Amino acid sequence: MALATRTDNGSAVRKPPPKRSFWGSTVGKKVVMAVSGLLMLGYLVAHVMGNLKVFFGPAEFNEYGHWLRTMGAPVLHQEWALWIVRVVLLAAVVAHAVSAYQLSKRDIKARPKKYVHQRKRASYATRTMRWGGIIVALFIVWHILDLTTLTVNENAQPGRPYENVVATFSTWYGNVIYITAMLAIGLHIRHGFWSAAQTLGVGSASRDRALKAIANGLALVLTAGFIAVPVAVMTGVVS
Amino acid sequence: MKLNLRVWRQRGADAPGAMATYEVDNISADMSFLEMLDTLNEELILRGEDPVAFDHDCREGICGACSLVINGDAHGPERTTTCQLHMRSFADGDTIDIEPWRASAFPVIKDLVVDRSAFDRIIQAGGYISAPTGAAPEAHAAPVPKPDADFAFEHAECIGCGACVAACPNGSAMLFTSAKVNHLNVLPQGAPERETRVLDMVATMDAEGFGGCTLTGECATACPKGIPLPSIAAMNRQWLRANRKVRR
């Protein structure tokens, strides 16, 4: 309810509504974030299942690693399926990051003046979405240099993923970077999955508890699944 | 009781502002928060000082005029409007911080008064129905299922005070806009503009400079009328549906 209104900018004159647009709208950008986020989440589920094969020994894990390159054969040529996955994932990361950047810029501009009396707002997972996202993005760069291109992985042997995983988690920094990033991913999924459901219009009062439970379950299972590998290497279960 | 107040004072829209400290005495626990401010203003006027400007109108919690952020909470510690907040919610000797709504879409006019006409422009973009003029239609002519009527009423409770925007860390007006869209979109009377309403109101909301929604839930916690957070998901559903149906 507006009692006093500005009189100097012609606000009393009724203007036509602004142009409707999908990408130009905050809701549209959120939809792009939700869809790209869910795509990446789906990939993580497949990824963690592959990772856990490390517990069945070097032969099975390395065989799985080689299958990733011949996936889709004989319809697709060597590594084609892998490259399709990579391109789709890269597009999802770029779409997710660009919309996050534009929305964050807008959000900060919409609240330029902070309250003098501050209090803690929202849950930890919610408040750390932006920094958590940046941490995860930096981790992905390191992760690719470490286990795909093997650039930063000392003692790496091309074509032997099992040995390379053991080599990575035999260094203290390898473990610290990985476990920190996985905790960040867990928090990001916890708020992100539930938010995506709201943005895509799936959320409702009756589904809220179920959606929150799925979000927490996914976050917990993925984080625990990923962290199980460095813990196993550290404790000598995998060597 | 005796209270220390720290109040945002700003002479005009473009003037710089700052928190000023005041002491008020002989405050009854039965006074409303606004009556406490009236007491302060009487003293200020007697001392020849400029009284603190704040918005208020009905003082019975139904008009949505009052708008104060009290100790960092929109409308203060109780889940109600500032006018329905009583001094019994505070203790003798408390220091209370009083600030205006903070959002770039709600510029400060003076002291604690902000310009909320951006909400009016969101309403103008689609918060109405096309109704024939003349005598009121027969009430049973348009049957409304009970769950839809309840849903519409829940959202019609929004008084447009702007507490959702004030509480949101992004200054987002999604809860307000969703309350208005959901209220009309679920009813048969609102059906002719169902798609254009949500598209135009969201477009206007963005054009007015409100931030985007990050689902922090602060809005629904601050809302004195209890508009629920899932309203936003319901509006997003309407928005996506309208995007499929309407050609630009």
Side-chain angles (χ1 to χ4, degrees):
Chain A
M1 160 116 195
L3 293 183
T5 53
R6 280 169 285 187
T7 49
D8 53 343
N9 64 355
S11 62
V13 182
R14 188 168 165 182
K15 282 175 279 191
K19 202 171 167 287
R20 299 167 194 159
S21 132
F22 189 93
W23 175 246
S25 156
T26 52
V27 183
K29 285 192 209 296
K30 287 268 314 187
V31 170
V32 171
M33 276 196 90
V35 171
S36 56
L38 289 175
L39 209 65
M40 291 188 277
L41 183 60
Y43 170 76
L44 284 184
V45 172
H47 193 346
V48 79
M49 288 196 282
N51 284 11
L52 292 176
K53 295 202 83 177
V54 84
F55 290 102
F56 299 106
E60 189 165 339
F61 189 72
N62 286 348
E63 191 199 336
Y64 161 73
H66 291 297
W67 171 79
L68 287 177
R69 292 172 196 281
T70 56
M71 192 167 45
V75 178
L76 297 174
H77 186 66
Q78 167 95 351
E79 289 196 2
W80 275 18
L82 191 62
W83 275 105
I84 291 169
V85 172
R86 284 170 176 171
V87 168
V88 170
L89 280 175
L90 184 69
V93 170
V94 169
H96 203 72
V98 168
S99 37
Y101 172 75
Q102 293 186 356
L103 283 168
S104 299
K105 217 172 101 179
R106 204 193 147 86
D107 294 347
I108 292 161
K109 205 176 143 210
R111 170 57 79 69
K113 182 107 179 113
K114 299 265 175 291
Y115 288 109
V116 174
H117 190 113
Q118 292 279 342
R119 63 171 184 80
K120 200 181 272 179
R121 289 180 185 276
S123 71
Y124 188 75
T126 310
R127 281 182 285 128
T128 52
M129 283 306 270
R130 285 172 193 154
W131 279 109
I134 292 169
I135 289 172
V136 171
L138 292 174
F139 166 75
I140 293 172
V141 174
W142 182 84
H143 193 51
I144 289 170
L145 291 176
D146 183 33
L147 287 166
T148 307
T149 66
L150 309 176
T151 322
V152 294
N153 196 345
E154 294 165 27
N155 316 318
Q157 310 166 53
R160 308 195 68 174
Y162 184 92
E163 285 72 12
N164 297 341
V165 166
V166 174
T168 285
F169 296 130
S170 300
T171 60
W172 67 267
Y173 56 86
N175 288 317
V176 169
I177 295 174
Y178 193 85
I179 292 172
T180 310
M182 288 313 109
L183 293 173
I185 277 190
L187 287 171
H188 206 75
I189 291 169
R190 184 175 184 224
H191 182 68
F193 178 82
W194 177 79
S195 287
Q198 309 303 313
T199 302
L200 297 175
V202 182
S204 71
S206 54
R207 290 199 200 113
D208 204 53
R209 276 178 66 167
L211 285 170
K212 281 202 168 118
I214 297 171
N216 289 340
L218 272 172
L220 202 68
V221 167
L222 284 172
T223 309
F226 282 121
I227 288 181
V229 179
V231 168
V233 174
M234 278 191 277
T235 54
V237 177
V238 169
S239 58
Chain B
M1 48 188 180
K2 195 172 179 177
L3 296 164
N4 296 309
L5 303 179
R6 296 203 301 162
V7 185
W8 182 261
R9 299 303 309 259
Q10 183 173 342
R11 297 182 71 85
D14 301 320
M19 297 295 273
T21 310
Y22 300 99
E23 247 184 33
V24 283
D25 206 350
N26 297 323
I27 297 296
S28 153
D30 295 328
M31 278 182 177
S32 78
F33 200 84
L34 297 185
E35 283 169 334
M36 185 276 293
L37 286 179
D38 292 337
T39 311
L40 168 70
N41 276 347
E42 281 170 11
E43 281 175 29
L44 290 178
I45 291 165
L46 283 174
R47 294 210 302 250
E49 290 177 38
D50 197 19
V52 178
F54 60 90
D55 265 339
H56 60 101
D57 193 13
C58 75
R59 297 208 179 196
E60 49 189 23
I62 54 170
C63 78
C66 50
S67 54
L68 300 176
V69 171
I70 301 159
N71 285 344
D73 286 315
H75 291 305
E78 310 288 339
R79 190 168 180 163
T80 184
T81 54
T82 301
C83 60
Q84 294 295 300
L85 174 68
H86 290 85
M87 296 316 292
R88 64 183 81 100
S89 301
F90 300 89
D92 188 36
D94 273 3
T95 298
I96 306 175
D97 290 330
I98 310 171
E99 298 173 75
W101 282 177
R102 291 287 184 205
S104 51
F106 286 167
V108 172
I109 296 172
K110 191 181 185 213
D111 295 339
L112 303 168
V113 179
V114 298
D115 178 359
R116 281 171 282 179
S117 58
F119 269 11
D120 295 346
R121 290 187 286 278
I122 294 177
I123 293 290
Q124 281 172 2
Y128 52 80
I129 60 161
S130 292
T133 53
E138 206 278 314
H140 295 300
V144 179
K146 179 76 167 96
D148 290 358
D150 288 345
F151 183 82
F153 193 78
E154 189 178 18
H155 291 93
E157 280 191 68
C158 171
I159 51 177
C161 64
C164 44
V165 177
C168 176
N170 312 320
S172 173
M174 285 286 276
L175 194 71
F176 166 78
T177 311
S178 68
K180 299 301 174 189
V181 167
N182 291 336
H183 162 209
L184 297 175
N185 268 25
V186 74
L187 294 173
Q189 290 87 342
E193 296 94 1
R194 195 167 280 161
E195 282 80 30
T196 55
R197 173 179 300 117
V198 61
L199 292 175
D200 287 339
M201 287 179 81
V202 166
T204 308
M205 176 187 85
D206 287 339
E208 289 292 340
F210 292 103
C213 177
T214 51
L215 277 314
T216 61
E218 291 289 335
C219 52
T221 309
C223 178
K225 296 293 156 183
I227 307 294
L229 190 59
S231 302
I232 292 176
M235 178 174 76
N236 289 336
R237 191 156 57 235
Q238 296 282 332
W239 189 85
L240 285 167
R241 180 175 173 273
N243 263 287
R244 288 196 300 273
K245 287 199 147 195
V246 174
R247 278 163 175 256
R248 290 173 217 289

